[in-house]
Amino acid sequence: MGSKDGMNYAPKGKINRVVEPGQFNVGVTALDHGHINGMTNGLIEAGATIKYVYDPDAEKVANYLESFPDVMVAESLEQILEDPEINLVAAAAVPNLRSALGNRVMRAGKDYFTDKTGFTTLEQLEETKRIVAETGKKYWVYFSERLHVEGAVFAGQLIEEGRIGRVIQVTGFGPHRLDKAKRPDWFFKKEQYGGILADIGSHQIEQFLHYTGNTDAEVLHSKVGNYNNPDTPELEDYGDATLVGDNGATFIFKVDWFTPDGLGTWGDGRTFITGTEGTIEIRKYINVATEQTGDHLFLVTKDGEEHYSLTGEVGFPFFGEMILDCINRTENAMTQEHIFKAQELCLKAQEQALNITAKL
């Protein structure tokens, strides 16, 4: 079962080391979101050595060391950036600070791995594109709702094998538990978190591009609103959008902060994929009122119906592929263009969204 606390949900998978100890060294910094623990788990399982951790908040560092006690505490970010052994810097900063940190990391000669969303404005995205071009470094984004979910990984493998034909439609649901009292101040300030479609919507759009094989898409319309949190008026607790890809595949998704307390995990994330020869449903984190485990995939083709329970069966190949891409300067895990396009589209969806709060 997934954790009831989505902020600190940190999946663990199979050990599948692609490098020897000390061959790929990582510095961890900016511990503002609990996703840094999942990012760290994935890197360690793929063989990375976490050499340093640094954050100006000693309490955050102490919490990180509870999970990763062997990591050395750096005295400053400069210590990480100036160490020639460091290949990659992983970080989960406040969202509107992620791109500036990444730019600094890449200018120091390191690749960068940030929690999603990697950007809160289109201007940030354009600046980072320039710096990637100038430095030749990689700007990775942790799209965990595909990369760190075995059902979602397996769905991609089935599509690649042609099991459901050509994908023509994807529908995504990304509900999250608010846990309002536990959230930091930045979570409620739109300039800092970027808006719901830029933030948790980024997962959804990345999945659409991946499953449909699109390199571009158009945002047809999008909506955001604050239905139930008038005391934090800048929080968007609901958002949805509709897109159409260049190859004609369509996408509808909904994200919100309305997961009831009674659900056994932090959100009933689901993805529905329609192909010309079959359908897939992924129940990512729970099978409601049936099984408390996640990673359920339901496949229907001309041959019949299949239910896969995938926890511990597939693993998380992204992390090893990412490490090898950093070493070999390849693009097998995902392309830089794909990352930037997913981010561009979620920012456009956010920018042009109709705000329905005024109608309430």
Side-chain angles (χ1 to χ4, degrees), residues 228-268:
N228 200 42
N229 290 277
D231 58 318
T232 50
E234 292 186 40
L235 174 69
E236 295 167 351
D237 55 26
Y238 175 87
D240 64 41
T242 303
L243 288 78
V244 59
D246 275 5
N247 67 8
T250 69
F251 183 44
I252 302 166
F253 77 88
K254 173 182 75 73
V255 287
D256 65 63
W257 293 102
F258 287 108
T259 292
D261 287 345
L263 188 74
T265 188
W266 55 267
D268 183 17

Side-chain angles (χ1 to χ4, degrees), residues 36-300:
I36 195 65
N37 294 316
M39 296 161 70
T40 301
N41 285 339
L43 286 162
I44 290 172
E45 288 158 10
T49 299
I50 311 299
K51 184 172 181 179
Y52 297 115
V53 61
Y54 171 73
D55 191 282
D57 185 332
E59 184 179 349
K60 289 190 175 100
V61 172
N63 290 338
Y64 183 84
L65 291 174
E66 285 183 15
S67 299
F68 309 103
D70 297 331
V71 179
M72 186 189 316
V73 179
E75 295 180 6
S76 63
L77 177 58
E78 288 73 19
Q79 184 180 353
I80 295 173
L81 297 183
E82 291 169 8
D83 185 337
E85 290 189 349
I86 293 295
N87 303 93
L88 177 82
V89 174
V94 175
N96 69 323
L97 304 178
R98 288 171 183 168
S99 62
L101 175 58
N103 298 341
R104 186 176 173 191
V105 167
M106 292 185 294
R107 283 178 168 143
K110 320 294 185 189
D111 294 320
Y112 179 62
F113 183 32
T114 177
D115 188 17
K116 65 77 220 153
T117 176
F119 309 92
T120 54
T121 68
L122 287 163
E123 291 74 22
Q124 290 176 357
L125 173 61
E126 290 307 312
E127 182 185 14
T128 291
K129 282 182 176 179
R130 288 193 298 272
I131 290 166
V132 165
E134 288 169 13
T135 63
K137 295 301 170 185
K138 294 179 181 291
Y139 189 103
W140 298 100
V141 176
Y142 178 55
F143 296 114
S144 57
E145 291 185 26
R146 181 175 70 84
L147 304 175
H148 233 159
V149 173
E150 288 180 286
V153 173
F154 189 60
Q157 294 170 354
L158 291 173
I159 291 166
E160 197 172 310
E161 292 168 8
R163 293 288 299 279
I164 64 168
R166 176 168 53 92
V167 175
I168 60 170
Q169 209 282 331
V170 178
T171 300
F173 297 101
H176 288 59
R177 178 170 285 121
L178 183 55
D179 278 330
K180 197 168 189 177
K182 299 179 183 177
R183 298 286 179 176
D185 289 345
W186 61 258
F187 181 87
F188 303 100
K189 296 175 181 176
K190 189 170 179 181
E191 182 183 354
Q192 291 183 280
Y193 78 89
I196 193 169
L197 298 179
D199 180 21
I200 53 179
S202 62
H203 288 296
Q204 298 291 326
I205 291 176
E206 190 278 330
Q207 289 173 91
F208 167 65
L209 294 176
H210 179 75
Y211 291 141
T212 61
N214 271 295
T215 56
D216 204 354
E218 179 186 358
V219 179
L220 299 182
H221 50 79
S222 53
K223 304 185 289 293
V224 297
N226 180 321
Y227 278 97
N228 200 42
N229 290 277
D231 58 318
T232 50
E234 292 186 40
L235 174 69
E236 295 167 351
D237 55 26
Y238 175 87
D240 64 41
T242 303
L243 288 78
V244 59
D246 275 5
N247 67 8
T250 69
F251 183 44
I252 302 166
F253 77 88
K254 173 182 75 73
V255 287
D256 65 63
W257 293 102
F258 287 108
T259 292
D261 287 345
L263 188 74
T265 188
W266 55 267
D268 183 17
R270 299 197 186 195
T271 305
F272 299 82
I273 306 168
T274 301
T276 53
E277 298 173 25
T279 62
I280 291 171
E281 179 191 347
I282 314 162
R283 300 181 189 175
K284 294 183 177 180
Y285 307 112
I286 194 169
N287 194 5
V288 174
T290 305
E291 295 160 285
Q292 289 290 298
T293 57
D295 289 304
H296 294 275
L297 184 144
F298 299 85
L299 172 68
V300 184

